[in-house]
Amino acid sequence: MKRDGIKIVTIGGGSSYTPELMEGFIKRYEECPIKEFWLVDVEEGKEKLEIVGQMAQRMWDASPYDVKVYLTLDRREALIDADFVTTQFRAGLLNARIKDERIPFSYGMLGQETNGAGGMMKAFRTVPVILDIVEDMKELCPDAWLINFTNPSGMITETVIKYGKWEKCIGLCNVPVNSMMKEPEMLSINGEELIYQFAGLNHFHWHKVFDKTGKDITEDIIDAMYTKDDGTPTNIFKVDFVREQLEQMKVIPCGYHRYYYLQDEMLKHGLEEYHGIGTRGEQVKKTEAELFELYKDPTLNYKPEQLTQRGGTYYSDAACECINAIYNNKNIPMVVSTKNNGALPDLDADSIIEVTSYLTAKGASPVAWGKLNSAEKGWLQVMKAMEECTIEAAITGDYGLALQAFLLNPQVMGGNIAKQVLDEMLVANEKYLPQFAKKIQELKEAGVKVKDEKVQRLIAEGY
């Protein structure tokens, strides 16, 4: 690792999240002296890249540090001799997310960015792209670390490590950080006095909490969850978990577990938005447009408060502290997606899990959790099987395996309806699914068409 200044490359640099990243690195500059920051995006994101890139440079110019922000649509140019590569891209941009949400909802099932049919379709689009990035890194920056924030983060991280054969990869999510920031406030305790232990999958983990004497206070937090803000991300509709379930579990589920433990309530809310104000992706599109109008202000040189509405709060604390820990061999605990290596014996050793780990210059060393109870073990193994089928289908273009993944996913109704949703989503995403090209052509010839009118318009407009 170079000690004369770090080169960081962010793929998906035109994201509205980028100011979070800048803020985090500015805060940590004395520990992580950055020499070059490269923001990379695709042609469709060129305008946003220029807007957010100019703002990023203003943020650095307002700091005491002399850092140059480079903007490019040429990923290979950016990757040369990079020390860290962060990924935060969305294949198909927000319009693809809207398709992922609206098509399942049109069949009366959950449409969500990383869960259910939408999450799997996002993986189908994203897996081939991340593997191309890894191949470029092998040639242009073979010693770099890949820090992944691209969703579905766990599946993308598993793709990089297991199929891309790139061991120097860590997956991140801001959801555990939300919990660790909010839960101490619930009990009026300093967070530094608490010991957290997380284990599970990305967007499907559980955690326990201990005080400074080692006493398990998980049940105290469960009790407080019903009267106080528990840190549920802003992008998840908050409805209370069934209390008796949590009291039996004696572990705290993550916010995304609502889509599984409270499927009926979450589906009803999602359908209300689908028929009313629009899906979460449609709402985010409006929020993002407002953010970019703010970013255009030539006097704005700090992260605006409105960014917290986007759902990525504490992103910088996760991404920047991860890089800081590796660069400075800090040996600190963080919740990351990494290789299991026995931490959860209910899964294979080479499975990628989201787990409390100690981060050093050699990467993440997971903290062993041990065997899960039957209910949590059952959920975990089904979800991991779904992830594995999704990844392999995304790589091979195997339609039968894609259907298997859909049928495994608890958010997808079984029978012919699963096939109908899969078929529509493949046709709607044709532009981003070359691995499924032959099957998509067959489906189109068989008369498969998207029924949702808003998605029809997006397709007609070339998205």
Side-chain angles (χ1 to χ4, degrees), residues 57-76:
Q57 187 64 68
R58 292 195 300 271
M59 292 177 74
W60 281 107
D61 291 346
S63 78
Y65 312 116
D66 182 21
V67 173
K68 171 67 175 173
V69 178
Y70 296 87
L71 311 179
T72 183
L73 303 181
D74 185 344
R75 183 174 74 212
R76 290 178 58 83

Side-chain angles (χ1 to χ4, degrees), residues 44 95 99 428 431-432 455-463:
E44 297 95 319
N95 285 321
K99 295 178 193 177
K431 182 177 178 181
Y432 302 99
V455 177
Q456 288 176 356
R457 287 199 292 273
L458 288 175
I459 295 171
E461 292 167 5
Y463 297 111

Side-chain angles (χ1 to χ4, degrees), residues 316-332:
S316 66
D317 285 298
C320 303
E321 193 57 28
C322 177
I323 289 174
N324 189 13
I326 294 171
Y327 183 73
N328 289 299
N329 191 33
K330 295 186 74 171
N331 196 30
I332 58 171

Side-chain angles (χ1 to χ4, degrees), residues 182-189 194 217 220-221 224 228:
K182 288 294 184 181
E183 289 174 358
E185 296 177 8
M186 292 161 59
L187 300 182
S188 300
I189 297 175
L194 299 182
I217 61 167
D220 295 337
I221 293 175
K228 299 179 181 178

Side-chain angles (χ1 to χ4, degrees), residues 164-363:
K165 308 299 182 185
W166 190 271
E167 293 283 337
K168 297 175 76 171
C169 176
I170 289 174
L172 293 175
C173 181
N174 64 310
V175 175
V177 184
N178 286 341
S179 297
M180 290 186 284
M181 295 291 285
K182 288 294 184 181
E183 289 174 358
E185 296 177 8
M186 292 161 59
L187 300 182
S188 300
I189 297 175
N190 186 331
E192 294 180 359
E193 297 179 5
L194 299 182
I195 302 163
Y196 277 84
Q197 188 172 9
F198 288 76
L201 306 178
N202 175 240
H203 289 184
F204 206 88
H205 61 249
W206 300 269
H207 69 276
K208 298 183 287 192
V209 191
F210 305 84
D211 69 13
K212 62 182 179 181
T213 71
K215 178 186 175 185
D216 189 334
I217 61 167
T218 304
E219 291 181 68
D220 295 337
I221 293 175
I222 289 173
D223 187 58
M225 286 170 60
Y226 293 89
T227 57
K228 299 179 181 178
D229 179 5
D230 65 351
T232 299
T234 56
N235 58 314
I236 299 175
F237 175 61
K238 186 177 179 182
V239 56
D240 285 342
F241 289 105
V242 177
R243 190 165 189 147
E244 290 86 348
Q245 181 188 14
L246 268 57
E247 289 173 348
Q248 188 281 323
M249 290 165 57
K250 294 182 173 55
V251 293
I252 301 168
C254 78
Y256 283 90
H257 273 104
R258 287 180 172 85
Y259 293 113
Y260 301 88
Y261 294 161
L262 302 165
Q263 191 175 67
D264 182 55
E265 293 89 338
M266 298 300 284
L267 178 57
K268 284 178 179 174
H269 177 262
L271 286 169
E272 285 175 7
E273 292 195 330
Y274 168 73
H275 291 296
I277 63 174
T279 65
R280 177 65 186 173
E282 292 172 278
Q283 296 169 46
V284 165
K285 195 172 181 180
K286 294 175 184 176
T287 301
E288 191 172 84
E290 294 166 4
L291 281 170
F292 275 93
E293 285 302 311
L294 289 174
Y295 293 172
K296 289 177 183 178
D297 181 351
T299 66
L300 184 66
N301 56 17
Y302 58 90
K303 181 191 78 175
E305 180 61 30
Q306 290 92 328
L307 186 53
T308 59
Q309 299 172 27
R310 182 68 174 80
T313 307
Y314 308 128
Y315 165 34
S316 66
D317 285 298
C320 303
E321 193 57 28
C322 177
I323 289 174
N324 189 13
I326 294 171
Y327 183 73
N328 289 299
N329 191 33
K330 295 186 74 171
N331 196 30
I332 58 171
M334 289 190 67
V335 185
V336 300
S337 287
T338 189
K339 197 178 286 188
N340 180 14
N341 286 334
L344 281 173
D346 299 309
L347 293 180
D348 293 340
D350 65 347
S351 289
I352 298 305
I353 63 171
E354 190 163 88
V355 61
T356 298
S357 305
Y358 279 82
L359 266 67
T360 65
K362 75 178 185 68

Side-chain angles (χ1 to χ4, degrees), residues 110-120 203-204 256 259-260 383 409 411:
L110 181 77
Q112 210 276 331
E113 179 187 17
T114 60
N115 293 271
M120 292 182 287
H203 289 184
F204 206 88
Y256 283 90
Y259 293 113
Y260 301 88
M383 294 297 287
N409 196 303
Q411 297 296 338

